[in-house]
Every structure is written in C-alpha cells, then in structure tokens.
Amino acid sequence: MDDSVLEKSSLFRGIPAKELREILEAVPHHIQCYDKGETVLRLMEGANRVGILLEGRVQAQKPFPNGSQVNVSGRMPGEMLGHAAAFSNSHKYPCDIVALEPSTIMMFLREDVLLLMQRDLRILENFTTEIASATYMLQQRLELLSYNGIAQKDAFYLLIQARQTGKSTIRIPESMPNWAMVLNVSRPSLHRELSKLEAAGVISYAPPVIEIKDTDALMSAGQVIPASRCSRRKELKSVILENKTMLQARSAPALRALLYRAAILRKPLCG
C-alpha cells in the first residue's frame, strides 16, 4: 500500500507516515478491491461504512425510477466515500457509488472512524473540514441545476472550476457524455452551446480541455436569475391572497405570521 496516498488523503492530511501507521495499527479497518462497474456503496443501504479511495476512480450516481440517472460527483485517490451518510440522521446512502475502473478502498466501520477522531484531533479537524466542503459543493450543485439555459449551466460550471483551480484551463470531467449528465443536459445540446461560445471567442474548446478566453463574456453568459426564483412573485401574491382574512382582521399575531412568510420569499423577482 502506498503510504503517500493516505498521507495526502482528506482524512489523514498533515499526519506523518510513522504516526499514521501507529494509528491504523490500533484501529480496525480492511482493504477491499472492486472491479470496474461494481457497486461499492448502494443506494438506501444502511450507512455504517466509511471508505478512503486508495487506487482507481469511483462515481456517485443517483438513479431514478424512469431509468435515468444523474452523476453526482467523482472521487479520486485520497478522497472519502460515504462519510456524510454514515454520520447523518438517516444512516442511509443517498446514492450508488460505482467503480469506474478497478479500485482499492480502505474501509472503516462508523464506530472505528469515531475512534480515529478520538485518537488524534487532526483527524477530527480534517473530517469536519471535509463535511463542510461537501456541503458547499452540494450548494453549488443545486445552483447549477437551478439554471434552465444550457449556456448558463456551461458558464456557471466553467467559472466555478476556474475560481477553484485558479486556472483558465479546465478539463472536462471524464467525457462529454458524463459532463452532459453532470449538467443534466443532452450531449448534442452541450456540444452546440460550446461551439457557440467558441465561435464568439469566449472559450477555446479542444476536448478534453476548455480554455476560457474572455472571462467577462463568460460571466455575462451566466448572469441569469435561476428559474426557481422566477415564480417568486406569483408565490408572494399567493401568500397575500391566502392570508387576506388575516389582513382584514388586523390581528397583530396574524400580521406577524404573514410578514414572516413574505420575508422568506423576499428575494430578487423576475420582471
């Protein structure tokens, strides 16, 4: 086993190899290998395991009853698997995690991860950081899916990747079909919008690499109000109509309740 992967992993980052070996000798764990296409963690399975990917690549996939699926995120060596679900209230995995190629994973039971945290505060800090980062990534993912236009989804994704890496050159994830699934669009539509951006001089597109040529123009392409906000005016009107009797009664508690509900919807409105 390559100790360098564990030293750089999200859970054990900052812990020297010698100390790490001593910690692992005292805490139960096992190494498990998976073939390409094999499911590592299964949707709605009891979440009592946490893994660290040592070799290979895996992907979180959310299947739907109609046969479609959304590729939620990919994992590379050193990253954790199943940690958020294992410590959630539901204790169920929300997605399938599938090996994209032959993969090796170090597995811990949930209670053994707690032992790791108790043995070394650095592990607890790393785990907390990883959970916070996962929450932030989920917020970005939800914002991405809130856009209706394909050009806006392209722009948002590319700008976020450029901001995170500090580079204007972005590698598309896995392949065009996989990237289209991440954006929740069809591959031909994605290719068409990328061609338009390239023709306008906004990007340079040579798979698997996209280079941002004009950041301002790309930001303009992404400056739209998500569709979820476009209905807020209607929602606000509906709240007012539903609470018309409260307004007429002029009851202080009723007015406070109405103002509270209206405040929830008080965000930028469409037209």
Side-chain angles (χ1 to χ4, degrees), residues 96-111:
D96 288 330
I97 295 185
V98 179
L100 297 178
E101 59 187 50
S103 301
T104 305
I105 299 172
M106 177 179 284
M107 284 290 188
F108 297 88
L109 293 178
R110 181 182 183 276
E111 52 267 30

Side-chain angles (χ1 to χ4, degrees), residues 184-196:
N184 200 31
V185 301
S186 68
R187 187 185 62 80
S189 298
L190 174 58
H191 183 76
R192 182 170 57 252
E193 292 300 330
L194 290 174
S195 298
K196 290 179 181 178

Side-chain angles (χ1 to χ4, degrees), residues 158 193-205 210-214 218:
L158 294 173
E193 292 300 330
L194 290 174
S195 298
K196 290 179 181 178
L197 290 172
E198 185 174 38
V202 178
I203 64 170
S204 174
Y205 173 46
I210 295 175
E211 183 180 0
I212 300 175
K213 295 288 189 180
D214 190 336
L218 191 60

Side-chain angles (χ1 to χ4, degrees), residues 14-70:
I15 301 177
K18 183 179 178 181
E19 291 183 45
L20 185 52
R21 281 194 293 270
E22 292 175 354
I23 292 172
L24 291 176
E25 285 174 2
V27 176
H29 64 278
H30 69 277
I31 307 297
Q32 195 159 343
C33 298
Y34 295 88
D35 294 327
K36 179 180 179 180
E38 192 173 354
T39 300
V40 179
L41 302 175
R42 198 171 298 279
L43 172 67
M44 297 310 293
E45 179 184 25
N48 63 345
R49 295 179 296 156
V50 175
I52 298 176
L53 183 61
L54 301 179
E55 295 178 337
R57 291 179 303 130
V58 301
Q59 189 172 65
Q61 301 175 349
K62 179 71 172 181
F64 294 96
N66 63 2
S68 65
Q69 74 174 35
V70 171

Side-chain angles (χ1 to χ4, degrees), residues 101-268:
E101 59 187 50
S103 301
T104 305
I105 299 172
M106 177 179 284
M107 284 290 188
F108 297 88
L109 293 178
R110 181 182 183 276
E111 52 267 30
D112 293 327
V113 176
L114 290 173
L115 286 177
L116 287 171
M117 297 180 197
Q118 292 170 1
R119 289 187 64 89
D120 197 307
L121 286 177
R122 290 171 294 183
I123 296 177
L124 174 60
E125 183 179 359
N126 288 341
F127 185 87
T128 305
T129 300
E130 183 67 14
I131 290 290
S133 299
T135 302
Y136 178 70
M137 289 177 62
L138 177 59
Q139 290 172 343
Q140 290 184 336
R141 177 74 172 145
L142 290 174
E143 185 171 353
L144 171 65
L145 294 176
S146 72
Y147 290 107
N148 277 336
I150 298 173
Q152 286 73 38
K153 290 186 177 185
D154 292 348
F156 178 81
Y157 180 89
L158 294 173
L159 289 168
I160 288 296
Q161 294 300 312
R163 186 182 306 165
Q164 291 177 347
T165 62
K167 299 178 181 179
S168 61
T169 301
I170 293 99
R171 293 183 65 87
I172 64 175
E174 310 300 341
S175 64
M176 281 296 291
N178 279 343
W179 189 26
M181 290 185 71
V182 168
L183 298 179
N184 200 31
V185 301
S186 68
R187 187 185 62 80
S189 298
L190 174 58
H191 183 76
R192 182 170 57 252
E193 292 300 330
L194 290 174
S195 298
K196 290 179 181 178
L197 290 172
E198 185 174 38
V202 178
I203 64 170
S204 174
Y205 173 46
V209 174
I210 295 175
E211 183 180 0
I212 300 175
K213 295 288 189 180
D214 190 336
T215 301
D216 291 338
L218 191 60
M219 289 178 67
S220 297
Q223 284 178 350
V224 297
I225 299 175
S228 60
R229 295 185 186 176
C230 293
S231 61
R232 289 190 180 276
R233 187 180 299 278
K234 293 180 181 179
E235 292 175 351
L236 185 55
K237 288 179 180 178
S238 175
V239 169
I240 293 173
L241 288 175
E242 290 173 5
N243 293 275
K244 186 176 180 181
T245 56
M246 288 196 297
L247 283 173
Q248 291 172 340
R250 298 178 182 238
S251 159
L255 286 173
R256 280 198 298 271
L258 175 58
L259 289 172
Y260 175 78
R261 292 187 65 192
I264 295 174
L265 300 172
R266 193 178 59 201
K267 292 187 177 182

